[in-house]
Amino acid sequence: MDSLRLLAGAAAAALAFALPSAAHAAPAVTPGDCHKARAVAEMAEKDYQDMVKWYKGLIAQGGHPGTIGEQAVADAEADRDRTASQAQRICGP
């Protein structure tokens, strides 16, 4: 009987830890938060477009950006995607 109580207690504890609590709920979002998130996403998009323009221009001139240039473009793309995703989470669809 004690082992059954122990098992039930362990299962209840595991369930309690698995369920999200009200303390971990998403904070309220203000319109200002949405505006800031969109502004950051727009800046990241512009930075990405500028980086791609630089990259293609360098290649068009016969240069090779190398792995550092390729990584810079990849980083700009990742930043663009991350900020766009964050803005969508904050502002909604």
Side-chain angles (χ1 to χ4, degrees):
M1 188 70 172
D2 288 333
S3 63
L4 183 59
R5 243 186 245 165
L6 181 62
L7 181 62
L15 183 61
F17 284 119
L19 295 175
S21 67
H24 293 111
V29 177
T30 65
D33 293 338
C34 181
H35 178 70
K36 289 176 189 174
R38 284 190 176 151
V40 169
E42 288 170 4
M43 287 189 303
E45 175 68 30
K46 184 180 181 324
D47 290 345
Y48 171 72
Q49 289 174 356
D50 290 345
M51 186 62 67
V52 169
K53 183 178 177 181
W54 166 82
Y55 184 84
K56 289 180 178 181
L58 185 61
I59 292 172
Q61 294 173 5
H64 190 279
T67 56
I68 293 175
E70 292 169 356
Q71 187 62 48
V73 172
D75 290 345
E77 182 179 22
D79 192 41
R80 177 199 64 176
D81 294 345
R82 180 186 56 77
T83 57
S85 177
Q86 186 174 16
Q88 186 175 16
R89 278 193 306 273
I90 292 171
C91 301

